[in-house]
Amino acid sequence: MSAVTAPTKAPRLTRWIKRRLSSIVHDVKSNKISYLFIAPFGIFFFGFTLLPVLLAMGLSFTHYNMLEAPQWIGLQNYLRLFFADDVFLIAIKNTFVFAVITGPVSYFLCLVFAWMINDLQPRLRAFLTLLFYAPSISGNVYMIWTYLFSGDSYGVINGFLSYWGLIDKPIQFLTDPDWMMPIAILVTLWMSLGTSFLVFIAGLQGIDPTLYEAGAVDGVRNRFQEFMYLTLPALKPQLMFGAIMSITGSFAAASQIIPLVGFPSTDYAAHTVVAHLLDYGNIRFEMGYASAIAVILFLAMVITQQIVQGLLRNLDS
Amino acid sequence: MKLSIREKKVTRSAGGDTIVFILLVIGGTFMALPMVYTISQAFKPMNELFIWPPRFFVRNPTMANFYDLFLLMEDSWVPITRYLFNTLVITAFGTCGHVLMASLAAYALAKHKFPGRGVYFNIIVFSLMFAWHVTAIPNYLIMSHIGWVDTYLAIVAPAWAMPLGLYLMKQFMEQIPNPLLEAARIDGAGEFKIFWSIVMPNVKPAWLTLIILSFQSMWGETGARFIYTEELKPLPYALNQIVSGGIARAGTGAAVTVLMMLIPIIIFIINQSKVVQTMGSAGIDK
């Protein structure tokens, strides 16, 4: 049977491919100008964002030290990560705690402060927008927190605490495992009112005032009812976008922890997946292993995003 | 008290106003204190920097820290103007390329219908969801493979294709009324002409926003991952060296931080209303 059908199938396949190809060529020709417009961005985006993700996935199945050619080792990197690398498990736990706290809290702060600021007069609104947004754009100004929390006698907070007689020896905020994570979260929250915050401010300003007037006529009594029944639904597109930025931010913020608490941190108490990735990628040059860490990080981000997007989409039902 | 700081509405009570006011004061203070402290620190003379008990505000402001900073810079092996020049080159090329490429692509995505358009845009939105750490290692391998390590291209080229810029620009361009473009097409204008002389002037808030976003990331770029030649290193790298001098450089370090944060903040202040206007169209409608 197969001997009979094969010859007829093959030409059909090539004919199908040919037809497909010529239709693609036709598409490209008739939309040449559009493809020209998207090409420059597309080339660099593919080369330095998409291709690296694919490469990381491929490399994660290899042993690669940048000197010898990559060697295929199957799932060994992943098995080692989850079964033989205690530090990685600490990193996962820390990243999870960190992301679960900073992500939602920063999202909530962005929304609530944007909402409160939006009620003010334009001048005051512009000033407060700048004040809340500034820490996220001021480069490494967050390093000032190391002076504030420093464990020696020059640490400002320790200085005040001991001057007031509240402590008799300085608290090692940045090296004591009990303090490191809370401090890292505090500093991250401080500088997390970024793009989401601006998007919320802009979204709130774009809401038609007649919506509120109609709501007031319909019996909306106070600002919280107004917020829940009118503002939130009207802000849904911005809320979706803000969620993406907040989640990415909460995973990526780990790189700001490192200058704060040092690397490696005491007892790995503030060791995150990103820190682990930098350890193997930049210091030990175990590129295959580091790629496996990157892939895990990538999957964690994407899965979190999908869950949160799904939740938000069903918000009004 | 008629000195109301907001417009009057029936849904606002005096009690609620008080709570909001208190929360804003607490939040605002928390946001401002570290920055106020940095500025105060930058103007403190030596004896106030190391005084005990510590002082939050400066008593006798002095420019000594800035003066020390310039002295340090004069002594550096590579002149500081060279670092500044490097940062200006990176910022200028990175920002111009990004705005141009993102706008071109955004125009086609917003106003043209062609196969693959949906896929292209969905991939862009998808890529907003992951941070640069994921791509850092393969990026380095790619850069070293094509010989771009130790050149500005390694920093600038990935920044040209930042997905956030394309996303914001495309969302904003959708607001341009189609009849405006149709009219130009009937007048015989080519697509590039339409893009340049009709679309771009109409999306000024959006490209100002892209300039700011790109500027912020390029201005703070230390080049640590790709640039190894001292003469090619950007300004933040050199300044970080000064700051990392430890407690003895507390004052100079604060002076550096003040200078570095001042410029992005000033640029944001100038363009604030345009940025907010652009962000207004950034929502995801599904």
Side-chain angles (χ1 to χ4, degrees):
Chain A
M1 262 314 260
S2 60
V4 182
T5 48
T8 55
K9 228 179 198 166
R12 210 185 296 159
L13 191 67
T14 49
R15 234 183 306 141
W16 182 81
I17 289 172
K18 258 187 201 155
R19 216 170 332 123
R20 214 49 226 131
L21 269 179
S22 75
S23 92
I24 287 173
V25 168
H26 175 78
D27 278 349
V28 170
K29 265 189 187 153
S30 53
N31 297 294
K32 198 172 74 187
I33 197 86
S34 305
Y35 290 116
L36 268 177
F37 272 94
I38 63 167
F41 191 95
I43 291 167
F44 289 105
F45 181 75
F46 176 80
F48 302 120
T49 301
L50 275 193
L51 187 64
V53 171
L54 299 175
L55 257 179
M57 286 175 179
L59 282 174
S60 73
F61 296 106
T62 66
H63 174 84
Y64 184 40
N65 56 13
M66 294 191 69
L67 297 173
E68 304 153 89
Q71 223 183 328
W72 185 267
I73 55 168
L75 283 173
Q76 266 184 46
N77 285 330
Y78 291 97
L79 295 176
R80 184 176 148 202
L81 270 177
F82 286 105
F83 297 108
D85 190 344
D86 294 339
V87 178
F88 178 66
L89 298 181
I90 297 175
I92 287 214
K93 196 204 85 202
N94 287 339
T95 306
F96 183 76
V97 170
F98 185 77
V100 160
I101 296 174
T102 58
V105 173
S106 112
Y107 187 64
F108 178 77
L109 289 180
C110 286
L111 180 59
V112 167
F113 279 118
W115 175 64
M116 293 195 297
I117 287 171
N118 190 51
D119 247 8
L120 305 171
Q121 278 181 353
R123 283 223 174 155
L124 199 52
R125 183 166 66 202
F127 171 71
L128 283 178
T129 306
L130 172 70
L131 179 62
F132 281 81
Y133 181 62
S136 72
I137 55 168
S138 313
N140 58 3
V141 72
Y142 67 92
M143 290 300 289
I144 201 67
W145 288 96
T146 57
Y147 286 115
L148 290 173
F149 281 117
S150 170
D152 54 31
S153 54
Y154 301 118
V156 179
I157 291 173
N158 272 317
F160 279 117
L161 287 178
S162 60
Y163 178 62
W164 293 329
L166 294 171
I167 50 172
D168 46 17
K169 62 174 198 290
I171 301 171
Q172 300 300 317
F173 289 108
L174 300 173
T175 46
D176 181 344
D178 291 336
W179 280 101
M180 278 149 60
M181 209 55 174
I183 301 281
I185 288 171
L186 184 81
V187 174
T188 306
L189 288 177
W190 175 71
M191 58 187 302
S192 72
L193 273 73
T195 312
S196 311
F197 174 68
L198 284 188
V199 169
F200 293 160
I201 291 256
L204 287 165
Q205 287 183 30
I207 296 176
D208 189 350
T210 56
L211 178 75
Y212 294 130
E213 284 159 27
V217 173
D218 286 346
V220 170
R221 303 237 150 251
N222 56 47
R223 74 183 79 206
F224 299 104
Q225 286 181 352
E226 185 187 277
F227 180 70
M228 293 306 287
Y229 299 121
L230 303 175
T231 310
L232 277 187
L235 207 59
K236 201 177 167 194
Q238 282 79 22
L239 289 174
M240 302 271 287
F241 178 72
I244 294 185
M245 302 316 285
S246 288
I247 295 169
T248 310
S250 69
F251 278 99
S255 49
Q256 289 137 19
I257 302 182
I258 296 173
L260 216 54
V261 299
F263 176 79
S265 47
T266 318
D267 288 349
Y268 293 111
H271 196 65
T272 57
V273 175
V274 168
H276 208 56
L277 173 64
L278 295 175
D279 186 7
Y280 281 91
N282 293 3
I283 298 172
R284 306 187 199 209
F285 290 107
E286 290 191 40
M287 293 310 191
Y289 195 62
S291 295
I293 301 172
V295 171
I296 302 277
L297 183 66
F298 172 76
L299 290 178
M301 283 182 188
V302 171
I303 291 169
T304 316
Q305 296 280 7
Q306 298 302 333
I307 294 171
V308 173
Q309 296 288 313
L311 285 176
L312 283 177
R313 212 162 285 154
N314 299 321
L315 199 70
D316 35 21
S317 57
Chain B
M1 201 169 106
K2 281 288 124 196
L3 271 168
S4 164
I5 49 168
R6 58 154 178 77
E7 298 113 58
K8 276 268 161 259
K9 274 198 219 161
V10 286
T11 50
R12 298 294 186 268
S13 63
D17 275 355
T18 316
I19 295 171
V20 164
F21 180 73
I22 292 170
L23 287 177
L24 276 177
V25 168
I26 294 172
T29 311
F30 174 66
M31 298 309 274
L33 275 185
M35 293 200 284
V36 171
Y37 179 71
T38 311
I39 296 167
S40 159
Q41 193 86 332
F43 291 100
K44 278 180 188 171
M46 194 61 99
N47 58 352
E48 280 188 53
L49 281 170
F50 298 115
I51 202 167
W52 197 94
R55 233 177 241 171
F56 195 88
F57 292 106
V58 53
R59 290 265 169 88
N60 305 302
T62 161
M63 292 299 285
N65 291 319
F66 291 91
Y67 183 70
D68 283 352
L69 176 62
F70 290 116
L71 272 187
L72 271 171
M73 286 171 171
E74 267 174 24
D75 281 351
S76 77
W77 170 53
V78 173
I80 202 74
T81 44
R82 174 75 217 214
Y83 293 114
L84 179 66
F85 171 79
N86 295 340
T87 281
L88 290 178
V89 169
I90 291 173
T91 309
F93 272 96
T95 305
C96 292
H98 174 61
V99 173
L100 196 64
M101 288 183 196
S103 307
L104 280 169
Y107 171 57
L109 289 174
K111 293 298 175 190
H112 290 174
K113 302 248 176 300
F114 58 92
R117 164 175 175 256
V119 178
Y120 192 100
F121 188 61
N122 283 339
I123 292 176
I124 298 291
V125 175
F126 185 69
S127 69
L128 289 175
M129 297 184 183
F130 47 89
W132 62 267
H133 308 93
V134 170
T135 56
I137 290 169
N139 243 337
Y140 187 85
L141 298 178
I142 293 172
M143 291 302 174
S144 79
H145 188 74
I146 54 181
W148 283 6
V149 170
D150 218 17
T151 72
Y152 295 146
L153 277 170
I155 294 169
V156 163
W160 284 338
M162 278 192 304
L164 181 60
L166 172 53
Y167 175 80
L168 292 175
M169 189 54 113
K170 187 252 181 190
Q171 298 297 81
F172 199 80
M173 278 184 179
E174 304 227 299
Q175 300 170 341
I176 298 176
N178 283 325
L180 190 69
L181 306 178
E182 286 308 320
R185 273 185 202 123
I186 290 166
D187 288 347
E191 285 299 309
F192 280 103
K193 173 108 175 114
I194 292 173
F195 168 76
W196 195 248
S197 52
I198 294 175
V199 175
M200 285 309 267
N202 270 302
V203 295
K204 193 175 164 209
W207 50 257
L208 282 173
T209 306
L210 263 60
I211 287 177
I212 289 178
L213 290 176
S214 172
F215 181 90
Q216 280 161 14
S217 69
M218 295 286 98
W219 176 253
E221 178 60 65
T222 59
R225 287 191 302 143
F226 292 116
I227 307 293
Y228 300 107
T229 307
E230 194 62 32
E231 285 90 340
L232 293 178
K233 283 178 175 168
L235 189 62
Y237 170 83
L239 295 179
N240 283 345
Q241 296 298 307
I242 292 173
V243 179
S244 65
I247 196 71
R249 295 264 173 86
T252 351
V256 165
T257 312
V258 168
L259 290 180
M260 285 306 281
M261 77 179 189
L262 217 54
I263 287 162
I265 288 181
I266 289 173
I267 291 183
F268 177 73
I269 292 175
I270 296 169
N271 297 304
Q272 188 172 1
S273 63
K274 302 283 190 288
V275 176
V276 170
Q277 201 182 337
T278 307
M279 296 293 185
S281 60
I284 293 179
D285 245 324
K286 264 183 201 160

